[in-house]
Amino acid sequence: MLLKNKEKSTYKADSTGEKPIRSIAKALSWRVIGTLDTLIVSYILTQEITVASLIASVDFLTKMVLYFFHERLWNKIKWGK
């Protein structure tokens, strides 16, 4: 016997993707984690907090922008939705 899940989404509902603000929130949260990782690794390698902070700051900004556009591009691709 197969039970139907009333909460199950349909292709039509899923095909619209997510709103840009969600992509921004995801990019920010992921970049915080990634930036902390970069800061720690940079500090271990350089032993200078100023240099490590500069590297982590540049990394945060560039990768956040790249991630946002990456997400928006993937939202346009119907494959796997």
Side-chain angles (χ1 to χ4, degrees):
M1 180 162 112
L2 195 61
L3 297 175
K4 289 187 178 180
N5 183 356
K6 292 182 181 182
E7 304 264 336
K8 187 173 180 179
S9 63
T10 64
Y11 174 77
K12 185 176 181 180
D14 288 343
S15 68
T16 58
E18 61 188 20
K19 294 180 180 177
I21 192 70
R22 180 176 163 87
S23 293
I24 291 169
K26 286 168 59 178
L28 282 171
S29 67
W30 179 245
R31 283 319 315 148
V32 167
I33 294 167
T35 300
L36 288 173
D37 175 63
T38 300
L39 179 67
I40 292 166
V41 171
S42 297
Y43 180 72
I44 290 169
L45 294 175
T46 66
Q47 296 295 305
E48 293 188 33
I49 194 64
T50 304
V51 173
S53 298
L54 180 60
I55 292 169
S57 298
V58 171
D59 180 70
F60 178 85
L61 294 173
T62 58
K63 287 189 180 166
M64 185 175 56
V65 171
L66 289 171
Y67 180 81
F68 174 80
F69 287 110
H70 179 261
E71 282 286 303
R72 301 314 303 157
L73 178 64
W74 269 99
N75 242 358
K76 293 180 185 286
I77 298 170
K78 294 184 192 265
W79 176 79
K81 285 189 174 184

